[in-house]
Amino acid sequence: MKKIPLVTHFLTVLLATTATAFAAGADRPGAPRLIVQITVDQLRGDLPTRYRDRLGEGGFRYLLEHGVHYANAHFQHATTETIVGHTTLATGAHPSAHGMVANVWYDRELERLVYNIEDSRYRLLTAGADVDSETEIDPTQRKARSEGRSPAAILVSTFSDELAILTAGRAKVFAVSVKDRGAVSMAGHAGTAYWFSKASGEFVTSTYYLEQYPQWVAAWNAERHTDRYAGTSWELLHAQDSYLFGDADDRNWETALPGFGRTFPHAWGTKDGRYYTTLLTLSPAADELTLDFALELLDKEDLGTDDVPDFLSISFSATDYVGHIFGPSSLEAEDNLLRLDRTLARLFKALDERVGLANTLVVLSADHGAPEAPGTLIELGIESAYVDPAAWDKTPAIEALKRRFGVGQPLIEAFYQPYVYLDRQLIAEHDLDQAEVERAVADELMKLDGVALALSSEALRSGAFPEMPLVRKILNNFNPKRSGDIFVVFEPQRFIGDMDGLTVASGHGSPWSYDTFVPIFVAGAGVAPRKVYRRVAPNDIAPTLSAIVGAKPPSGSAGELLIEVFEGRDRGQGVRTTP
Ligand SMILES: [Zn+2]
């Protein structure tokens, strides 16, 4: 459907003319031929410049020297998790509107936890590519009950949807990521998403997008690109003593996975190893494979080859996994960033050769920031600790509350960041008032060590909450149909170090600035270089992209336009502006 079939020369000319007429007819001065939206999972705002002297040519340096660099961008919602951030980047909307309130939430109708993009109606196209619950270490993935995936739970349009609408489906829209949620969110409802299956070692999609793989995808997967890492290790790019964390490789808070260890070199093992593909995702190999697939897509789907703007989203996941396992201030994270820099340089070089960077608008941001591992902070004399919500129901205060309400069983059914879920059945059986129980439990949780704020959904619904900036972020995250019973905010530097049984060095997801702070770079297609220090938000990106191509903003967009992007473009050559 989306590919232009073989046509005669005459028809080719005619089609090209039509495309040009389309471009000139719309109010889209200097619209780029291709928009590449890069999302680096867990890339905190300070990280691109932390190792500035060590950056190579043409990667981050291209963005720093040729793009608008927003150095003070913060998400405005409270649950800084992957699907929440990606969907905010894609839609310009807050989670309250786009509906992705957390990586997992409790569905009251289904009476079970759901994984954000699971959809049993659309199975994976590849047999045997389903999440393997035995070896899957991503806890949110393990929550999914169905292997099907779709963007159906995203309640508003994405920029990529608006581009498809504007161009009557002529714009080609694709998204690629190791994480399914990193691709599905960005492809929107109209595009095509591909993600990495750890079970099959291939890039896969679901029947929501395609009935069968294009030949090039089948061929690429058949080449078994993951095999090239077998029997080798993730090694340092440079001499160890030249790194900021060169003398800090072995830290006891880092997660030592069997065979992979916590010091360099990190061995991936043999290709038939049980965790082989998983270990690839916990290293720069994940981003290299993602880019390999994306470049094949760029070529085989002919992106950016006519005047109708195309859209390609690439979400790089390694920074997140490396951050969780080793912490963002670790030798592994430092080397990963330098390798990501090389991966970006390879991407920008390919874009320049195939489409031209002058015709390609590149946007780079992140889905959330990153907290430091408690060990890192404690070593510097800064207080930090892990918290354990699983123990809350047994605390004296909650036990006393249970006695007051006359219930013997656990009142707190579960805690899934950021929400406490109460046992509603128990509350109903005892003829208790749900709102009253919510308020009472929230009041007790507030008194616990490490809890900064516990706010019941009842309080949010009835407007009974304190006027504070923190509450504004919780409201931006509040969707009455999907939010849990009590929203819990931990004190800064307090984390859950346990991901479903796996002990990790650090975990994001808070409303504090280390988690909300991300970089935004916009470069290429006539954008003039500039560094901007005013506070902006990642949900400004989607409406800005809409304005650049002349589309209407996505349906839930709450963002402002990033005006510095237009100022540069308006001064550029050949750009038409209205007097
Ligand atoms: Zn993460």
Side-chain angles (χ1 to χ4, degrees), residues 41-42 82 179 320 324 368 508:
D41 208 308
Q42 206 187 119
T82 297
K179 292 184 184 180
D320 182 66
H324 280 296
H368 51 75
H508 53 85

Side-chain angles (χ1 to χ4, degrees), residues 173-186:
V173 174
F174 290 96
V176 179
S177 178
V178 155
K179 292 184 184 180
D180 51 9
R181 56 189 182 275
V184 170
S185 50
M186 304 307 287

Side-chain angles (χ1 to χ4, degrees), residues 33-53:
R33 286 172 166 235
L34 178 63
I35 294 163
V36 176
Q37 184 164 11
I38 303 161
T39 309
V40 180
D41 208 308
Q42 206 187 119
L43 185 72
R44 200 177 52 209
D46 59 310
L47 295 178
T49 50
R50 187 180 198 177
Y51 313 107
R52 189 172 182 142
D53 296 346

Side-chain angles (χ1 to χ4, degrees), residues 450-530:
V451 174
L453 186 66
L455 206 52
S456 74
S457 287
E458 162 59 22
L460 293 177
R461 266 188 290 269
S462 60
F465 47 80
E467 268 299 328
M468 53 199 284
L470 200 53
V471 174
R472 172 44 53 197
K473 291 184 194 172
I474 294 172
L475 281 170
N476 285 342
N477 215 101
F478 180 66
N479 180 289
K481 288 184 178 175
R482 293 184 182 169
S483 291
D485 295 321
I486 300 165
F487 195 109
V488 179
V489 178
F490 300 118
E491 299 279 4
Q493 283 105 239
R494 299 293 201 291
F495 318 98
I496 300 170
D498 179 283
M499 289 204 314
D500 231 33
L502 179 73
T503 304
V504 291
S506 71
H508 53 85
S510 83
W512 303 114
S513 61
Y514 47 79
D515 278 343
T516 59
F517 182 33
V518 294
I520 297 176
F521 291 100
V522 185
V527 171
R530 189 167 170 185

